[in-house]
Amino acid sequence: MGITDTAESWEVVDARTPFEGAKTAVRSDRVRMPDGTVAGRDYQVHPGSVCVLALDEEDRVLVLKQYRHPVRHRLWELPAGLLDVVGENPLHAAQRELYEETHVKAGSWWVLADFFASPGGSDEAIRIFLARDLAEADGERYAVSDEEADMKLARVPVGELVRGVLAGELANPGLVTGVLALSAALAGGGVASLRPADAPWPARPYGA
């Protein structure tokens, strides 16, 4: 038996967009169920995101602490950002976010994990990259504003982050998924078992 997710789309009888913001929207669909009945499904429409697990030569992960208003918490997170351009290569977006949020560049990249952030209420798809061979980026630091202006940057050993996740002390989904995926990869086939940085991403198809 193959354990793999499969794409499927049920009939949408009616669709409305009661709210549309700068980056995301709320959609309200009427969906036909397998038994023929029709049920309402409200969800966030999201362009998708990328995260970067940047691992230095001492096996420390670059993490940021940032205020997240919806959950009223400051969360430790991986460098991350939206796929602002439809069809944008997610690797290019990840490289941009790593530079903008940490002023770091990486010489080696792999796909670490793909996941849906909250599939019961959002269509947001997230790709996490593993970045290694880190170095200080060239040029001036990127100017930040709003919540990003108050971010704290740290380099934390992988083992400490795993302990924090399992203790319930770290809850950002990108960080949780990335750290545990890295731990599993390192315990198994190592970096060689990961997909290349340009691996296809059916949830967010992209160009070169």
Side-chain angles (χ1 to χ4, degrees), residues 9-208:
S9 182
W10 293 358
E11 179 188 0
V12 177
V13 177
D14 180 65
R16 295 182 301 109
T17 305
F19 170 79
E20 190 161 0
K23 298 293 184 181
T24 66
V26 173
R27 180 164 160 159
S28 183
D29 288 351
R30 299 281 292 166
V31 183
R32 192 174 303 282
M33 300 290 113
D35 64 0
T37 61
V38 175
R41 293 292 181 266
D42 301 324
Y43 59 98
Q44 180 193 34
V45 178
H46 194 285
S49 306
V50 291
C51 296
V52 184
L53 194 156
L55 192 65
D56 69 14
E57 68 283 354
E58 298 179 35
D59 286 339
R60 298 175 303 175
V61 180
L62 274 66
V63 290
L64 304 159
K65 195 171 190 180
Q66 184 172 351
Y67 176 66
R68 292 301 187 181
H69 187 70
V71 296
R72 307 302 199 272
H73 272 70
R74 284 183 183 268
L75 301 177
W76 284 105
E77 306 178 351
L78 302 177
L82 299 176
L83 291 169
D84 293 314
V85 181
V86 176
E88 180 181 18
N89 187 317
L91 175 60
H92 299 165
Q95 291 169 333
R96 179 183 67 243
E97 294 300 331
L98 183 63
Y99 160 71
E100 290 181 357
E101 295 194 345
T102 69
H103 201 66
V104 165
K105 61 183 179 181
S108 303
W109 293 82
W110 298 266
V111 173
L112 187 54
D114 295 330
F115 70 102
F116 293 109
S118 181
S122 172
D123 70 350
E124 181 182 6
I126 298 178
R127 168 160 281 190
I128 305 177
F129 289 91
L130 171 64
R132 301 215 65 173
D133 301 323
L134 308 184
E136 188 80 5
D138 303 322
E140 297 294 325
R141 285 189 171 272
Y142 183 80
V144 296
S145 60
D146 300 327
E147 293 95 340
E148 293 183 351
D150 195 41
M151 289 190 306
K152 295 180 180 178
L153 175 64
R155 296 191 180 213
V156 182
V158 175
E160 185 175 335
L161 293 175
V162 171
R163 183 207 61 77
V165 168
L166 298 181
E169 298 169 357
L170 299 170
N172 176 270
L175 184 142
V176 170
T177 303
V179 165
L180 296 184
L182 176 64
S183 181
L186 295 178
V191 171
S193 67
L194 298 177
R195 289 170 289 161
D198 61 353
W201 190 12
R204 290 295 185 273
Y206 61 91

